[in-house]
Amino acid sequence: HSLTHLLNLFFCYPLLAPWFAFVCFFFLVAQGGQELSLTHTELAAALQYSDTAGLSDLLTHLTAIQNANHQPPLPYKMCVTTGSQEGLARAFEMLLDPGDPLLIESPAYSGTLAALTPRNIDLYTVECDHDGLVPASLRQRLESWPKKKAQSAVHCAHCRQSHRGHTDGRAT
């Protein structure tokens, strides 16, 4: 009986939507107690599929922050991702072809390895410590580099290794 009721509710949802629709969202910021809210129109836009690059208003806002704080020297386009592995996967897809070599820190973030594995990339590790890549390890890796493979890219966490917490001691 309950499964039939659930299926009926599922198929009737569009008819019931006026009773289940969200009107707005309110958020209370932990530090400072500032209240943030999304209006019905903002919420409707946020809960829908958007452009692949991200919500246009958000991209405009983030681009303005980037331009004001960093003055990029070259034209660029910004893309908002759902998380680090999606961003890594997109970057690797753009920059690397299957079989390309990649210098990567050791130990490496498991999310990086998860994004690289399906791409069939040849990984060459470089040791790292609390200051980042160890220069002697990088030099040794480059001096013993296979002659037929051009270096294509280096991937390293610029601040803190999420699983080890030691690449950079500064707080982010």
Side-chain angles (χ1 to χ4, degrees):
H1 172 68
S2 61
L3 180 59
T4 304
H5 178 71
L6 182 61
L7 289 175
N8 285 340
L9 180 62
F10 176 76
F11 288 115
C12 292
Y13 178 75
L15 300 174
L16 299 173
W19 291 284
F20 290 100
F22 293 104
V23 176
C24 61
F25 272 6
F26 291 96
F27 304 92
L28 187 60
V29 178
Q31 291 182 346
Q34 179 185 7
E35 186 178 285
L36 304 174
S37 64
L38 294 176
T39 65
H40 178 71
T41 303
E42 293 167 332
L43 186 58
L47 294 177
Q48 294 300 314
Y49 289 107
S50 64
D51 295 333
T52 302
L55 294 168
S56 61
D57 288 348
L58 177 61
L59 288 170
T60 299
H61 182 73
L62 293 175
T63 300
I65 291 171
Q66 178 74 3
N67 291 340
N69 292 315
H70 303 289
Q71 299 88 33
L74 301 171
Y76 69 97
K77 288 187 178 182
M78 188 174 292
C79 178
V80 176
T81 69
T82 58
S84 66
Q85 283 182 245
E86 182 195 3
L88 287 170
R90 285 184 182 195
F92 294 145
E93 187 175 334
M94 288 186 297
L95 298 172
L96 301 168
D97 290 322
D100 277 355
L102 177 67
L103 288 168
I104 187 168
E105 63 191 353
S106 177
Y109 167 52
S110 60
T112 300
L113 299 175
L116 285 166
T117 299
R119 305 269 326 135
N120 195 26
I121 304 300
D122 291 339
L123 301 178
Y124 295 88
T125 60
V126 177
E127 293 301 315
C128 63
D129 61 18
H130 65 280
D131 290 324
L133 295 176
V134 174
S137 178
L138 178 59
R139 185 178 302 107
Q140 180 183 20
R141 176 57 75 187
L142 292 175
E143 287 173 353
S144 65
W145 197 261
K147 301 251 184 274
K148 4 180 198 177
K149 294 207 179 234
Q151 295 95 2
S152 57
V154 177
H155 176 272
C156 59
H158 68 284
C159 61
R160 297 190 313 178
Q161 275 278 10
S162 64
H163 68 290
R164 300 278 296 221
H166 73 149
T167 299
D168 185 10
R170 292 177 290 165
T172 56

